[in-house]
Amino acid sequence: MKFRHHRSTTLDLALALHRELTGRTGSWELNFLPRPVTAQSDLFREGLRSWAKTVGSGLPAFLAAAPTPHDVTRLVDDERLRPGAHLVSTALTAAAPALAEALPAFEDLRKQAATEINERLAPEDYLAPLCAALGTTETDRTLDLHLVPLAPAPPATGFLITAGRIEGVYVDCRRFRGSTLADAVLTMLGWAQLKSGALPKSHLSSELVRRMPGSSPYQRRLRVILTKILVELTAGHLVRTQDAAHRPCADVLGTKWRYARLYSVAEHHWPRYLDGDLDRAEALDLIAAELATHSPRWFVDSVDPSSLAADFYLLEWLTAAGDPTARARLYRWLPHLSADLAGHLDNVIGNELGHYERARTHHYPQELADFITEINQGDSRATWQQIRRTRGHGQALHLATEAFAGPGIEFGGEAWAPVAAMMRRYVQHELPDRVFVDQCFTLEHNNGSLFDKYHDTTTTREVLDAQAATDLDTLLIHASAEVRELWQAHDLNTTQGHPLWLGPRPVEPAAVRTDSPGWTLTGSAPGSIGCGDRSDRGAFHPQHDPLLTSPVRVRQMPARRPSPTSLNTYRTLAAVLHTTHGDIHLALHPDETPYTADNFATLATGTRTWTDPVTGTPGEGGFYDGTVFHRRVPGFVVQGGDRLGTGHGSAGYRIPDEIHPDRNFDRPFQLAMANLGRDSTGSQFFITLAPAPHLNGHYTVFGEVADDHSKELLAAIASSSTEVRLNCVTIAAT
């Protein structure tokens, strides 16, 4: 599959709007459309939902062919897509002025990306090996390649479709850069190649079905994920043939960590084919043979960190009790466990460092400012690998610690600072493996376990609490089968008084297995130490798995929503906004939104700590004093609370949303906190001037306008041709 560069202003606008509404990976990423968005712009969501019934996760190709947003409806080629096209056209027309102002800033980046792609991806270099790996015939088909600066992420890539046929692809050249961009483009071309035309006998999908048949949910899921891994490994390999320093997307973007067991099998055999050491059929046979040793469920389900933690703490307990077998197992396992955890955390630290696009770096030392700027040049997970390579592990982790502890505080980085500091001490050999592993399990970030990005951490807190309470029964419930066997074999004298619910002591200690294979997370067999699962040894038998036909288990990501450490409570709370146009009286709802109401009141009075976004220093007095209403849209909102006056400022911290089911925007004159996405409330607030039901569920309503005179005044402020300033806010509380 070849490509030709193509450019579409309408597609640029559509993807930018899609990103603004649903596709920013977090509130820390820059936004170019003022929030909250207007009802007209929000129609884009409904338009996408309408299109999804026909084109799935792709976009209609006529969207890219439309010269302007108004032309979208004219070019509809499938009547099923017409209702959505009307909605999308209306939304793009409303959002275009703001987004069109932002897009030109990325022109140089787009041109540079096109040049790099042309240099790295010559068809004569990639087409034949890509087609051979995927088992598709070489084709003269050429796809339109759109390098766009703002696309919704994940995945920041996508297809353009006409009548079920892929006509083009888009890739975010702002997020993916250099060799990572080439990898992403090749991956998309690979998928397009697999999805085009008939399925010859050599087609990768046909090969996998033939070697790994079955129609159960887990069997189908195994083939889908394995296809994804093989496509990504192939793309990464082709890029590395020209750039030996390239770190494949399958690694840095998470596939390796999300599907650790399956990835390990594929990585063991497929690169040998790509290097020419095996033929394709041999590599696929070896992969299929290794996967046949266990149920597909073993390779598809997530690793359970609570089982790893339980194994570690129980082996430590047995070692302390003088058990020589447990001691030998622990010290043999520790280096491998440490390496697994360190690799995982290194990837996650790179991800978390991408939270500082909004950081105002001129407040920090030059070296730190340069580091923050550099880490946000593209996807931070890929950039982090480059920075570590050029600056060295120790210095890079030192700067990461400073970034988390400084500008990162606003977006939860404070909890990541000790994690980066721990990693620095580990790579500099200042922490022994046992201490490092213990800290990996016990340290948490602002939302919970350090391993919640790729693993199922549902029961991790339960195991940590059990360890703290010396609750050995709970630890044994979560431990691997081999550790439970070790416990059974342990001298009963050391466990006197312990309820041995696991059954009678084995007659012969030799019944304990001593052949733990692999010792690594990806190499361990079900039931063995460090396998990351608490099931019995036979639970993943390839022919006798009782759960094989069950629905594929969905990975759970429990998130603790941190609340402010202090809270002033009120029976009643009222506020008066003293503006240059007059006083606005507000009634707040401290009973329904206690943290939000207290946040507003203490910022207004200056009784809580805040950071001045202008100077980067601790602020004094009322935060809102002297600020302007920076956004005034007649018939929609009046918005203030930003000392920068741009809509991009805050008080230096964020608090979670408090969205109450009985408070919404179905009525006008509601007082709410603006945000940059979920749980990112800061200092900015807005007051609606008309019903705005499209905002329901997205913003915390914590008050309302108290009287008719204030409502009339707000309407006048929204329409005023001159600047309107908020002199100060007074609070009346009981």
Side-chain angles (χ1 to χ4, degrees):
M1 192 73 68
K2 301 176 184 178
F3 65 87
R4 59 172 171 257
H5 291 286
H6 201 74
R7 173 79 177 276
S8 167
T9 300
T10 302
L11 180 64
D12 286 348
L13 289 171
L15 292 172
L17 179 55
H18 190 182
R19 174 187 175 276
E20 291 289 318
L21 295 176
T22 61
R24 289 186 300 130
T25 56
S27 57
W28 50 85
E29 287 197 344
L30 292 176
N31 64 296
F32 302 96
L33 202 64
R35 292 176 58 89
V37 300
T38 64
Q40 290 81 4
S41 297
D42 201 66
L43 290 174
F44 193 82
R45 300 178 197 259
E46 191 176 343
L48 288 180
R49 285 194 290 268
S50 175
W51 279 350
K53 301 171 186 175
T54 304
V55 297
S57 59
L59 291 174
F62 64 74
L63 181 64
T68 70
H70 297 289
D71 296 308
V72 171
T73 54
R74 179 176 61 81
L75 296 177
V76 171
D77 53 16
D78 185 333
E79 286 303 311
R80 295 174 297 174
L81 300 174
R82 189 170 296 281
H86 281 289
L87 295 169
V88 167
S89 178
T90 300
L92 289 177
T93 301
L99 294 177
E101 192 175 305
L103 288 169
F106 302 104
E107 278 310 302
D108 289 343
L109 180 63
R110 194 195 316 246
K111 292 176 182 177
Q112 179 184 349
T115 300
E116 289 186 343
I117 286 296
N118 291 337
E119 292 174 350
R120 292 175 181 271
L121 298 183
E124 58 269 22
D125 293 330
Y126 75 80
L127 187 56
L130 181 63
C131 291
L134 302 181
T136 56
T137 56
E138 287 196 32
T139 173
D140 290 331
R141 275 199 67 203
T142 300
L143 297 183
D144 291 336
L145 171 62
H146 295 261
L147 298 176
V148 299
L150 299 169
T157 58
F159 296 112
L160 301 172
I161 300 170
T162 298
R165 178 183 170 93
I166 296 174
E167 300 291 342
V169 299
Y170 63 82
V171 179
D172 190 330
C173 62
R174 174 175 170 269
R175 183 174 297 277
F176 302 129
R177 306 190 189 187
S179 64
T180 306
L181 175 63
D183 196 329
V185 170
L186 267 185
T187 298
M188 294 302 292
L189 293 177
W191 278 114
Q193 187 84 9
L194 284 175
K195 292 172 180 288
S196 64
L199 298 181
K201 184 178 179 181
S202 62
H203 192 282
L204 184 59
S205 297
S206 302
E207 295 276 18
L208 295 184
V209 170
R210 188 161 53 251
R211 288 171 170 81
M212 293 173 282
S215 59
S216 74
Y218 271 102
Q219 289 167 325
R220 294 198 305 269
R221 183 66 172 160
L222 177 70
R223 293 194 296 267
V224 168
I225 300 172
L226 180 57
T227 302
K228 168 183 170 66
I229 291 171
L230 296 182
V231 170
E232 292 181 1
L233 284 174
T234 302
H237 174 85
L238 291 174
V239 175
R240 288 195 71 179
T241 58
Q242 295 187 352
D243 184 353
H246 173 63
R247 188 86 175 261
C249 289
D251 180 351
V252 297
L253 301 186
T255 301
K256 173 180 179 178
W257 307 99
R258 172 67 181 85
Y259 302 106
R261 296 166 182 144
L262 182 54
Y263 187 92
S264 176
V265 174
E267 189 181 36
H268 187 210
H269 302 292
W270 194 245
R272 295 171 62 199
Y273 152 65
L274 297 173
D275 287 333
D277 297 332
L278 295 174
D279 65 31
R280 181 170 178 265
E282 281 183 291
L284 291 173
D285 287 342
L286 289 169
I287 290 172
E290 191 166 343
L291 294 179
T293 58
H294 307 303
S295 165
R297 194 165 57 88
W298 173 250
F299 299 101
V300 171
D301 278 351
S302 298
V303 169
D304 181 4
S306 65
S307 177
L308 297 176
D311 279 3
F312 171 69
Y313 290 124
L314 284 170
L315 286 176
E316 275 206 321
W317 195 97
L318 288 169
T319 298
D323 188 306
T325 303
R327 183 180 186 279
R329 303 287 177 83
L330 175 63
Y331 282 98
R332 186 176 175 188
W333 177 42
L334 264 177
H336 303 288
L337 177 61
S338 299
D340 285 337
L341 299 184
H344 183 112
L345 286 185
D346 179 66
N347 179 277
V348 177
I349 286 172
N351 180 74
E352 294 296 320
L353 284 168
H355 292 193
Y356 310 121
E357 270 195 334
R358 295 177 179 274
R360 288 170 286 279
T361 57
H362 61 280
H363 301 318
Y364 297 95
Q366 191 60 50
E367 186 179 25
L368 178 57
D370 291 343
F371 171 78
I372 294 169
T373 300
E374 185 180 358
I375 197 71
N376 284 289
Q377 300 301 305
D379 191 293
S380 61
R381 291 169 293 182
T383 311
W384 172 238
Q385 306 303 323
Q386 299 165 10
I387 290 176
R388 280 202 299 99
R389 189 166 59 244
T390 56
R391 293 178 180 260
H393 300 311
Q395 179 63 9
L397 285 164
H398 169 71
L399 290 169
T401 304
E402 294 296 309
F404 286 131
I409 290 177
E410 182 171 347
F411 292 101
E414 188 173 17
W416 281 99
V419 179
M422 172 191 69
M423 278 288 290
R424 181 186 62 79
R425 294 186 64 198
Y426 175 70
V427 301
Q428 293 181 332
H429 307 291
E430 297 174 9
L431 284 182
D433 286 342
R434 287 177 70 167
V435 176
F436 173 70
V437 169
D438 177 61
Q439 291 192 2
C440 284
F441 288 130
T442 55
L443 282 176
E444 294 184 325
H445 65 96
N446 51 310
N447 291 325
S449 169
L450 300 183
F451 304 101
D452 59 2
K453 184 169 181 60
Y454 300 119
H455 297 330
D456 190 328
T457 58
T458 306
T459 56
T460 303
R461 170 47 55 190
E462 180 182 345
V463 166
L464 295 178
D465 288 344
Q467 161 65 10
T470 322
D471 179 357
L472 301 178
D473 282 317
T474 298
L475 291 179
L476 285 164
I477 289 172
H478 292 276
S480 66
E482 185 175 0
V483 168
R484 293 198 300 271
E485 292 165 4
L486 280 171
W487 185 270
Q488 285 181 309
H490 185 64
D491 190 341
L492 288 176
N493 291 332
T494 65
T495 57
Q496 189 172 9
H498 175 72
L500 291 176
W501 55 269
L502 291 166
R505 179 186 182 185
V507 176
E508 295 292 337
V512 178
R513 294 178 57 144
T514 60
D515 58 339
S516 285
W519 293 100
T520 64
L521 179 60
T522 55
S524 298
S528 62
I529 289 174
C531 69
D533 191 90
R534 63 180 178 178
S535 304
D536 292 334
R537 289 186 184 275
F540 295 96
H541 191 282
Q543 281 80 45
H544 307 295
D545 180 2
L547 299 179
L548 178 62
T549 58
S550 63
V552 175
R553 181 182 176 187
V554 178
R555 181 170 66 99
Q556 300 298 312
M557 295 180 289
R560 181 183 66 242
R561 301 177 65 203
S563 297
T565 55
S566 62
L567 174 67
N568 300 303
T569 57
Y570 313 88
R571 289 198 300 272
T572 63
L573 194 60
V576 180
L577 309 183
H578 301 285
T579 79
T580 51
H581 277 45
D583 293 348
I584 301 170
H585 293 262
L586 306 171
L588 277 57
H589 309 312
D591 52 336
E592 298 168 350
T593 56
Y595 287 104
T596 307
D598 182 49
N599 176 63
F600 181 83
T602 52
L603 278 177
T605 57
T607 53
R608 73 166 298 154
T609 301
W610 54 273
T611 300
D612 191 331
V614 177
T615 64
T617 59
E620 297 181 359
F623 179 87
Y624 298 117
D625 295 359
T627 58
V628 298
F629 290 102
H630 61 272
R631 187 179 180 211
R632 295 176 286 122
V633 184
F636 181 38
V637 294
V638 170
Q639 188 169 341
D642 177 13
R643 294 183 69 85
L644 291 178
T646 63
H648 296 291
S650 72
Y653 62 87
R654 303 284 168 177
I655 66 172
D657 299 326
E658 291 182 295
I659 296 174
H660 195 278
D662 297 331
R663 298 291 177 183
N664 55 46
F665 297 94
D666 294 343
R667 297 180 296 118
F669 299 105
Q670 300 302 297
L671 171 66
M673 293 301 289
N675 62 39
L676 301 171
R678 182 178 181 269
D679 291 338
S680 62
T681 291
S683 61
Q684 293 187 43
F685 63 91
F686 64 91
I687 302 170
T688 57
L689 306 178
H694 70 285
L695 304 182
N696 289 344
H698 299 295
Y699 300 89
T700 301
V701 178
F702 70 103
E704 57 190 315
V705 180
D707 57 59
D708 290 339
H709 175 71
S710 296
K711 295 174 183 178
E712 294 171 1
L713 182 58
L714 279 164
I717 289 175
S719 303
S720 175
S721 59
T722 60
E723 179 182 87
V724 182
R725 191 168 293 276
L726 177 55
N727 295 323
C728 65
V729 180
T730 57
I731 299 293
T734 60

